[in-house]
Amino acid sequence: MEKSQWKWLLVSIGFSALVMGGVLYFTVDETTVEYLSRVNPFYLILAVLLHILSLGFWALRIQKMSASLGYRVGFKHCLNLVLANMLVAAVTPSQAGGEPVRVHELYRAGVTVGDATAIVIMERVIDGIVLGAAGAFAMLFLGRYWSSLASGFSGVSFIMYAAWISVTIFVLIFVYSVKNPDYLKRVLKRISRWIDRRWHLRRFEQLLGTIDREVDNFNRGLVEFVNHGKSGLVWGFFFTALFWLSEFVIASMLLLGLGQQPYFIESFVVQLVIAIIMMIPLTPGGSGVAELGATSFYSLFVPSSIVGVFVLLWRLILYYLNIFLGLLPSLSIMRREFLARARKHR
């Protein structure tokens, strides 16, 4: 991570801590101590293990998708790049900063830049399709729970419909760009020229040449997926479903650990809405937005005296633990890159 990224990490953590402090201030009372006396550590530990398991599913997704394109990338390397990705994702809106890390580390494992980019983008596409399908399932088959949530917050349905439309448009543009790579080149070049007019990019002509080359590589990787990597897509959907399922169950385990009902179905709907909100680029790592969203939604069925503690534990696992787990792999990558540059300049 660069110095500016470390600065944004501190901003993200500070904003999250500030919002979390406000949530605790308005929710903790004398009844909270009584609730905390019922804490069951078993379920809290299980929640942490579920999150670690979900990161393992993510690593397996990358490994299988890479294997379908003919690359042998070890599970340890995949897990390492997932963890490093989580640290950078914590400082970027909609966690988009993790994609370049995954592409870079796949390249380091012998995957071409085009194929690595194709794998990472397909991950995003699969995430969108799985979350969109889960949203459709929630609205069609969990109507009573959806209605109770939507009645508490009128904007919930709007967010879901907007998310569906956005995912659909993204998938259509994605499919069109696969069939017409020249269209993608024109779009990227227009964006580059727009940026150049404002910030005067260095080596602009070289950048345009790079766009031509990498779009061709990217297109070849996607065509390879469609023609020869179908098994990777199947594995991708399978491990993506397992990833989100294990992530969504964490909240219910925390509720059980705090002596509450698990509210599996209600929690599934709430986690789905929060996951989609987190995809909107609002704040670095979704800090502040996630805390406020979870507090607002869970207060509909969790006692106010314990909802703040619940949200704190939830964010400790899904946000602060990610930062902690990502520190060592990120520092290892930085050390490797530093040594490589030093050898190059000898």
Side-chain angles (χ1 to χ4, degrees):
M1 289 177 63
E2 300 175 357
K3 289 183 178 179
S4 60
Q5 291 177 319
W6 286 110
K7 180 187 73 175
W8 280 110
L9 176 61
L10 294 177
V11 170
S12 179
I13 293 174
F15 189 44
S16 174
L18 182 64
V19 174
M20 198 65 252
V23 169
L24 290 173
Y25 177 80
F26 288 107
T27 57
V28 172
D29 55 29
E30 61 275 4
T31 315
T32 305
V33 178
E34 180 184 345
Y35 280 119
L36 291 177
S37 65
R38 307 176 194 168
V39 168
N40 187 334
F42 170 78
Y43 290 107
L44 302 184
I45 295 172
L46 184 58
V48 174
L49 294 178
L50 273 172
H51 182 53
I52 294 174
L53 179 65
S54 69
L55 297 178
F57 288 143
W58 192 345
L60 286 170
R61 176 174 72 174
I62 293 175
Q63 184 184 39
K64 291 295 186 180
M65 292 177 71
S66 301
S68 70
L69 296 181
Y71 300 101
R72 292 174 62 89
V73 184
F75 174 77
K76 183 179 178 181
H77 185 85
C78 291
L79 184 60
N80 193 72
L81 72 87
V82 166
L83 295 178
N85 149 90
M86 297 308 296
L87 177 62
V88 181
V91 303
T92 51
S94 75
Q95 302 182 352
E99 273 78 359
V101 174
R102 303 205 298 278
V103 171
H104 180 268
E105 287 305 292
L106 283 172
Y107 172 73
R108 282 292 186 179
V111 182
T112 64
V113 173
D115 285 349
T117 304
I119 292 168
V120 170
I121 289 183
M122 281 305 302
E123 284 189 283
R124 274 281 182 169
V125 172
I126 292 173
D127 277 334
I129 293 173
V130 168
L131 289 175
F137 173 82
M139 293 185 73
L140 294 174
F141 299 102
L142 303 176
R144 179 166 67 89
Y145 303 97
W146 184 263
S147 298
S148 63
L149 182 63
S151 63
F153 296 91
S154 57
V156 170
S157 295
F158 172 77
I159 291 172
M160 291 302 296
Y161 285 123
W164 281 347
I165 293 171
S166 300
V167 169
T168 302
I169 292 174
F170 174 75
V171 172
L172 289 175
I173 293 175
F174 172 76
V175 172
Y176 185 77
S177 67
V178 172
K179 293 185 176 182
N180 302 273
D182 289 337
Y183 168 78
L184 181 59
K185 290 179 183 179
R186 288 196 299 271
V187 171
L188 291 176
K189 286 179 180 179
R190 285 173 186 167
I191 294 173
S192 299
R193 288 191 177 96
W194 180 82
I195 295 173
D196 181 58
R197 283 197 298 269
R198 284 155 179 77
W199 288 285
H200 305 292
L201 299 176
R202 295 180 180 177
R203 301 177 181 176
F204 178 67
E205 294 301 324
Q206 183 178 343
L207 173 62
L208 296 181
T210 301
I211 288 174
D212 274 326
R213 184 175 62 256
E214 294 308 330
V215 167
D216 288 335
N217 290 337
F218 168 66
N219 185 255
R220 280 195 295 271
L222 291 177
V223 170
E224 191 73 14
F225 254 124
V226 174
N227 293 334
H228 307 292
K230 292 185 178 68
S231 64
L233 297 179
V234 173
W235 282 114
F237 277 103
F238 176 70
F239 284 117
T240 298
L242 290 179
F243 170 83
W244 287 111
L245 179 62
S246 61
E247 289 284 90
F248 287 174
V249 172
I250 289 172
S252 295
M253 293 300 103
L254 290 175
L255 289 173
L256 284 171
L258 293 171
Q260 303 298 306
Q261 295 183 46
Y263 293 105
F264 285 110
I265 299 178
E266 294 91 338
S267 192
F268 169 80
V269 176
V270 169
Q271 292 289 309
L272 177 62
V273 174
I274 293 175
I276 291 176
I277 292 175
M278 294 279 283
M279 295 178 74
I280 303 173
L282 298 174
T283 60
S287 61
V289 176
E291 289 85 353
L292 289 175
T295 303
S296 302
F297 291 132
Y298 277 98
S299 63
L300 295 174
F301 48 87
V302 175
S304 60
S305 298
I306 199 67
V307 72
V309 175
F310 160 75
V311 173
L312 173 62
L313 292 173
W314 179 68
R315 284 301 274 171
L316 282 174
I317 293 174
L318 294 183
Y319 178 69
Y320 291 97
L321 181 59
N322 285 344
I323 294 174
F324 175 76
L325 292 175
L327 275 173
L328 187 58
S330 296
L331 291 173
S332 175
I333 291 172
M334 290 170 61
R335 179 176 179 274
R336 184 193 66 202
E337 295 300 314
F338 175 78
L339 292 175
R341 289 195 189 99
R343 286 194 295 268
K344 186 177 178 179
H345 289 90
R346 282 179 183 174

